[in-house]
Amino acid sequence: MSTLVEIFDGTQWTPVCDYRDLIPGRGVAVLGERGAQVAVFRDRAGALYAVDNRDPFSGAYVISRGILGSRGTAPTVASPMYKQVFDLRDGRCLDEDTAPDGTPAELRVWPVRTGAAAPSQLVGAAVREP
Amino acid sequence: MTHHQTSGRLPRRLKDLVLVGHGMVGQRFLEALTGQPGAAAWRITVLAEEPRPAYDRVHLTSWFSGTSVEELSLAAPGFLTEHGIDLRLADPAAAIDRAAQTVTTASGEVLHYDALVLATGSYPFVPPVPGHDAAGCHVYRTIEDLEAIRADAGRSGTGVVVGGGLLGLEAAGALRALGLETHVVEFAPRLMALQVDEGGGQLLRRKIEELGVHVHTGAGTRAIVTGDDGRVCGTELSDGRELPAGLVVFSAGVRPRDQLARESGLPVGERGGIVVDERCRTQDPHVYAIGECALAADGKVYGLVAPGYAMAGTAARSLAGEHRDESAFTGADTSTKLKLLGVDVASFGDAHGATDGALDVLYSDSRSGVYKKLVIGREGQLLGGVLVGDTESYGLLRPLAIGGKPLQTAPEQLVLPAGAGPAGPVALPDDAVVCSCHNISQGEIRAAVREQGCTTVPAVKKCTSAGTGCGSCVKLLGTIVTEELAASGVSVDTNLCEHFAHTRAELYEIVRATGITSFSALIDGHGSGEGCDICKPAVASILAGSDNGHILDGEQAALQDTNDHFLANLQRNGSYSVVPRIPGGEITPYGLITIGEIARDFGLYTKITGGQRIDLLGAAVDQLPLIWRRLVDAGFESGHAYGKSLRTVKSCVGETWCRYGVQDSVGLAIELELRYRGLRSPHKLKSAVSGCARECAEAQGKDFGIIATSSGWNLYVGGNGGMTPRHADLLATDLDRETLIRSIDRFLMFYIRTADRLERTSVWLDRVEGGLEHVRAVVMDDSLGICAELDLLMERHVGGYRDEWAAVLDDPERLRRFASFVNAPGTPDPAVAFMPERGQIRPARPGENEQSPAPALVAGARLEVRTA
C-alpha cells in the first residue's frame, strides 16, 4: 500500500508524491496550484519538511536540490547555489538576515503530512491541522 | 585661461629624484620610498640599463627550468604608474655632473636632480686570461646572458665554469641541466670557500661529483683555447692540463660598478665601492649609493640581496625625511641558504670560527651526505655555522646566531638528525631576527599574531612583510604563529565541521581502518548530528574511493553536492551545463558535428572552455538524460566538469604534428585522462601534457603536468592557475611511460589520502611536513612503504570505472530523479527562462521575465528526441 505525501496551501491538503519518491536526506520539487513551487524533504529519520523552492539569494528555484543536515539542534537545508543554510522548521536563513533584494531571507514553510491511503500522521514541525 | 587651470600643474614644485639602476635593490628602494609619507615631495625618474624592469636575479637560474621573465619580474603591475615613476628602459646613465646636479643618459638626455641614488650593482669579474673574450665565453648576470648561454649550449658538448663559488655552482647546475658535460674550475682549495669550511667543502664536492659535474679545485685558468673559427674550444689550467670546452662561463666573483661615481669625483674604496655613510650618503649630500655598488659604513661591500634591501630602506627613509637612529645601515647578516644542483647548503654568522676562543660542534655523516658545524663562543653563545646536505634547522639557527645569546639547548642536540636526540623546542629570544631580508624580529611576528589578529602565515606575511624576501624563514614563521596562537589560547581548529572533530585525512583513515561504507555509520559512530553540506560531500568523496557502486546508489545519493547529484553543472538560473569528455582535446569532425547537432536540437548555448572542451549550457534537469543519451550513442560520455574529480588532461599536438615536439603528448594525455576520469579527490584535479619544453599545454600550471624530454617525460606536481597561481615543482625527470604513470598513480593516491577538504595539491605540497622532498621520497622511493597499497587503490579505481551517465540511463529508478517536478514529470520549470544574445541564449535577468509575456526561448529547446 502506498503512502502519499500531502502539502497544505492554506485551503486544502493536496497529495504531491509517494513517500517512497523521497530519498532520505534529499528533496524533490513540487509544482503546486497557481504555479507555486515547493521543496519537499525527508530526513534520515523519516520526518518530512516542505518549504518554498525559490532560493531568495539567487532567485532560482533550486532549494529542493540542496543537502539536508543539522546545525546544532536545527534540521537544515543548504541552498545548492551559494550555500546559505535554512532552518527547515521555520524557513529562517541561519547565515544572513536579508536577501540581496532587501527582503527578509526566509522560506515559506508549508504544512506537510503523510495521508490519504495511510493513517493520517503529522510529521515535521510548524504543521497545523486545517 | 588662468594659470590655475593648467592641467597637471601641481600645487608646489616637486623635487627631482633620479635613481640610476633598476635591479632588485633599485626596485626595493622605490617600494620603500613610495611607502613613506614624505615620498610625495619627489618626482622620480629611473634609468635602467637593461631592456626590462627589475627582476629577481637571485632566482635567475629558474629561467632555464621554465620560469618566465614575467614571473621573475619584481615590480607589481601598475606599481610604477600608480606612483608616477618614469622608468627609462635601456637608457643607462652615462655621466654625472655634480656641480650642475645633472645626469646625462646614454641617449643624450640631460636630467636635473635634487637627489641622485646610485644602485648600479656590480659586474662579473672576468680574469684577464688570454682568449677571455672569444666567442663562446659568457658571464652569468642577466637574462640576456642566460639567453646567450642557452643559444650556445646547443652546439657545445662540454661547458667549463670558471669559479666554484655560489654563482659558479649555480651556473654549473644550469649547464648540466642544458645537457652539457660540465666542469667547474676553482682556484681555492675547496668549493664555496667563502661560505663553507674544509669539511663542508669536501662533502659538497662529493655530492656535486655524484651528480656528474667534474670538479677541479686548487686550479687556476691560464688561458682560453680557441679554434680556427675563433670560438672557444678548451681551457688551459694552471697545472698544465687542458679541458675541452665549447662554452665557458666566468663566475669568478663580482666587482662594484662604481665607474659613474669615480668619474664624477666621488670617493671610492681601495678595492672599489662608492664610499657611503650610515645613511647611505656619499660625500656629496645630494648623492646616495645603495647595494652592491656601495662601500658601506662598516667598510664592506655586500654582495647579497638582503643587505642591499636594508640599504635601500635606509636611503628611502633618509630621503623621505625620516631620520630615525634604527634606520641607519651599519652592517648586515651575510647568511646564505641555497639549493645548489639539488644539494642544500647554508652558512650563517661566523661560519669559519674567526672569533677568538670559538669552538666547533661538528656532526658529519658522509654515508647520508650530511655535514653540520656550529661555532660556539666562550659564553656558550651560537656564533655561526655551516650546514650541507640538511639545512632543515637553518631557519632556527640563524636568528639564534644573530642574537648572540647563550644557548638554552645543548648545541650537540641542534646538529643531531631528527629522531637521534631529544631536541625539543628551542627558545628563541624575542629580539632574534627571523626574517633577515626585511629585518623582522620574532617579537614583531608574535605581536602581529597577538595584536593584529593574524592567525595564518600569509596574514603575518602581509602584515609584517616577513617571509616575503628569500623565503627561507617561512617554515619558522609557521612554528612561531602556531606557538603564539596556542599561547594566546586560540586553538587551531582543524575539525572538518561541527559534526566531525576530525580532519578529512583522519576520516579517510577511519573509513579505511573500519571498513565503514556509509555516511550514517560514520556519523553515528564517529560524529554527531545529521551532517551538513561540508561533511557530506567530503565523506562522499572518501567513500567513492572504496568499492561503493554508483555515485547515486543508496544513501550516497543524499551526500553528493548538487552537481554530483545531477551529474552536471548547476548554473545561475537553475539550469545545467553539460561538458562532453574530449580526452586530450582530440576530437573527430564527426564528433564535433554531433556535439553541434545536440546543442542545436536542445537550443543550448555553446562555448569553448579553457580546458579544451565544449560547454553546452542551458539544459533543464529533465533534458539531462536526453542529452546524455545522444552523447552516449555517438560514442561520447558526459564529463566531469563539476565536482572534486579529474577535469581534463590538456595537450599540445606533440611530435605527431609539431616541428619541435619530441614525444606523443596527445596519446599520453588521452591515456591519462581515461585512466583518472571519475577519480574523486579533495579538490578538482587538472593536468596537461606538453610535447616539448615550449610548454604549449601549460603543464606547469596543473596539479600534475608532464613535459616531454628527448629521453622521456618530466613530471611536475602542485601547480595551479586560478586565484593564487603557483608554478608546479619538478618531481622526477626523464621517466619512461610506465614509471611516469606509476609515479602519478602514487602521487595522486597519496594526495587523496592525506589532503584536507578542498585543499588543492599546491597548498597540500606546501603544507605537508618535509614538502616536495618528502612527497618525492614517498612516491619515488617508497620511503613509507605504502606504495603497494597506493598502487592497489589506483588499480581498483581504474578497473572499477564505469560511465556514470550511461549507468543512469540504464536504470529507470535513477532516471526518475531527473524531473523538474515530482508531481508533474515532463513539465519544464517555468522559472528557467532565457533571452537571446549574440545569436545564442543566456539566462534571463531579474525583471526580463515580467517584461516579455512569454519567456524567450531561442531555437527549439523542447524538441522531441528519442530516449531509447
Side-chain angles (χ1 to χ4, degrees), chain B residues 158-161 172 176 180-186 191 205 208-217 243:
Chain B
T158 307
V160 170
V161 176
R176 193 181 142 271
L180 297 187
E181 176 94 19
T182 305
H183 296 264
V184 172
V185 180
E186 167 58 46
L191 296 173
R205 178 194 184 120
I208 284 171
E209 284 177 338
E210 275 168 18
L211 296 165
V213 173
H214 308 283
V215 178
H216 313 272
T217 52
L243 300 172

Side-chain angles (χ1 to χ4, degrees), chain B residues 563 567-572 575-582 587 592 595-596 598-600 602-619 624 627-628 631 636-642 647-648 840-841:
Chain B
N563 287 344
L567 297 98
N569 289 34
L570 177 67
Q571 303 297 343
R572 61 183 311 138
S575 67
Y576 285 86
S577 64
V578 174
V579 188
R581 187 178 301 289
I582 303 176
I587 187 165
L592 267 178
I595 292 179
I598 294 172
R600 181 195 61 206
F602 286 88
L604 305 172
Y605 167 87
T606 54
K607 181 171 190 320
I608 308 292
T609 71
Q612 301 188 335
R613 293 179 293 187
I614 302 168
D615 211 346
L616 309 172
L617 291 107
L624 291 174
I627 294 170
W628 297 337
L631 287 174
F636 285 101
E637 60 176 43
S638 190
H640 296 94
Y642 56 83
R647 300 293 168 91
T648 54
Q840 299 202 66
I841 59 165

Side-chain angles (χ1 to χ4, degrees), chain B residues 448-665:
Chain B
V449 175
R450 208 168 45 236
E451 288 148 29
Q452 314 282 326
C454 300
T455 56
T456 61
V457 171
V460 169
K461 279 179 164 183
K462 209 171 161 192
C463 178
T464 64
S465 71
T468 59
C470 70
S472 68
C473 64
V474 171
K475 203 164 172 189
L476 182 59
L477 276 186
T479 316
I480 296 172
V481 170
T482 312
E483 271 182 22
E484 187 59 32
L485 283 174
S488 338
V490 180
S491 63
V492 186
D493 188 1
T494 56
N495 293 352
L496 191 58
C497 63
E498 69 171 76
H499 307 102
F500 287 101
H502 302 279
T503 63
R504 181 193 167 278
E506 287 164 354
L507 280 183
Y508 187 99
E509 293 305 321
I510 290 173
V511 167
R512 264 172 23 90
T514 58
I516 283 174
T517 57
S518 77
F519 178 78
S520 288
L522 190 64
I523 198 164
D524 292 343
H526 302 273
S528 65
E530 290 296 305
C532 63
D533 60 317
I534 290 169
C535 61
K536 280 183 168 179
V539 170
S541 157
I542 293 170
L543 293 176
S546 46
D547 245 343
N548 235 0
H550 193 271
I551 188 145
L552 296 187
D553 278 355
E555 198 194 49
Q556 283 209 92
L559 307 178
Q560 307 299 337
D561 233 326
T562 185
N563 287 344
D564 278 301
H565 190 62
F566 287 94
L567 297 98
N569 289 34
L570 177 67
Q571 303 297 343
R572 61 183 311 138
N573 64 347
S575 67
Y576 285 86
S577 64
V578 174
V579 188
R581 187 178 301 289
I582 303 176
E586 183 181 83
I587 187 165
T588 63
Y590 168 76
L592 267 178
I593 289 166
T594 307
I595 292 179
E597 285 176 344
I598 294 172
R600 181 195 61 206
D601 293 349
F602 286 88
L604 305 172
Y605 167 87
T606 54
K607 181 171 190 320
I608 308 292
T609 71
Q612 301 188 335
R613 293 179 293 187
I614 302 168
D615 211 346
L616 309 172
L617 291 107
V621 175
D622 28 10
Q623 288 179 314
L624 291 174
L626 306 178
I627 294 170
W628 297 337
R629 180 81 264 160
R630 292 273 296 269
L631 287 174
V632 169
D633 288 349
F636 285 101
E637 60 176 43
S638 190
H640 296 94
Y642 56 83
K644 307 305 169 210
S645 53
L646 179 86
R647 300 293 168 91
T648 54
V649 182
K650 276 175 80 168
S651 69
C652 62
V653 292
E655 67 173 352
T656 320
W657 288 93
C658 174
R659 286 183 287 157
Y660 302 108
V662 292
Q663 303 279 354
D664 174 19
S665 56

Side-chain angles (χ1 to χ4, degrees), chain B residues 669-745:
Chain B
I670 293 172
E671 182 176 351
L672 294 178
E673 181 158 342
L674 295 180
R675 183 173 183 80
Y676 302 124
R677 63 181 163 178
L679 183 68
R680 260 62 187 186
S681 56
H683 197 279
K684 68 182 171 191
L685 289 170
K686 293 184 180 181
S687 178
V689 183
S690 278
C692 78
R694 284 181 169 71
E695 249 287 67
C696 295
E698 299 164 335
Q700 287 174 92
K702 303 287 185 257
D703 296 282
F704 59 103
I706 298 100
I707 301 176
T709 69
S710 50
S711 46
W713 304 97
N714 283 355
L715 173 58
Y716 291 80
V717 295
N720 70 248
M723 207 157 58
T724 46
R726 179 189 192 272
H727 241 229
D729 291 322
L730 183 59
L731 186 75
T733 53
D734 289 335
L735 302 174
D736 59 64
R737 202 173 174 112
E738 193 190 334
T739 315
L740 170 76
I741 291 176
R742 195 174 60 229
S743 307
I744 302 172
D745 284 356

Side-chain angles (χ1 to χ4, degrees), chain B residues 330-544:
Chain B
T330 51
D333 178 23
T334 55
S335 305
T336 36
K337 177 190 170 198
L338 329 143
K339 196 185 243 340
L340 291 166
L341 294 138
V343 183
D344 289 310
V345 184
S347 90
F348 55 95
D350 178 10
H352 296 288
T355 312
D356 230 16
L359 298 167
D360 290 350
V361 175
L362 192 69
Y363 172 83
S364 176
D365 178 0
S366 355
R367 206 176 29 141
S368 60
V370 176
Y371 175 92
K372 299 181 188 180
K373 183 181 84 175
L374 297 185
V375 178
I376 309 293
R378 275 184 209 278
E379 275 78 49
Q381 75 275 34
L382 182 63
L383 296 174
V386 175
L387 307 169
V388 180
D390 173 11
T391 54
E392 191 71 17
S393 50
Y394 170 78
L396 180 69
L397 293 173
R398 187 185 49 77
L400 277 175
I402 298 169
K405 299 221 171 114
L407 288 171
Q408 307 292 313
T409 316
E412 56 273 21
Q413 289 189 3
L414 296 173
V415 291
L416 284 173
V426 179
L428 209 54
D430 253 8
D431 56 0
V433 173
V434 170
C435 171
S436 65
C437 294
H438 295 280
N439 201 26
I440 311 290
S441 70
Q442 177 183 233
E444 288 170 82
I445 292 160
R446 289 193 183 273
V449 175
R450 208 168 45 236
E451 288 148 29
Q452 314 282 326
C454 300
T455 56
T456 61
V457 171
V460 169
K461 279 179 164 183
K462 209 171 161 192
C463 178
T464 64
S465 71
T468 59
C470 70
S472 68
C473 64
V474 171
K475 203 164 172 189
L476 182 59
L477 276 186
T479 316
I480 296 172
V481 170
T482 312
E483 271 182 22
E484 187 59 32
L485 283 174
S488 338
V490 180
S491 63
V492 186
D493 188 1
T494 56
N495 293 352
L496 191 58
C497 63
E498 69 171 76
H499 307 102
F500 287 101
H502 302 279
T503 63
R504 181 193 167 278
E506 287 164 354
L507 280 183
Y508 187 99
E509 293 305 321
I510 290 173
V511 167
R512 264 172 23 90
T514 58
I516 283 174
T517 57
S518 77
F519 178 78
S520 288
L522 190 64
I523 198 164
D524 292 343
H526 302 273
S528 65
E530 290 296 305
C532 63
D533 60 317
I534 290 169
C535 61
K536 280 183 168 179
V539 170
S541 157
I542 293 170
L543 293 176

Side-chain angles (χ1 to χ4, degrees), chain A residues 21 26 29 31 37 68 70, chain B residues 499 530-531 536 560 816 822:
Chain A
D21 288 336
R26 208 90 225 189
L31 193 58
Q37 288 197 30
L68 289 205
S70 64
Chain B
H499 307 102
E530 290 296 305
K536 280 183 168 179
Q560 307 299 337
R816 265 161 40 81
V822 67

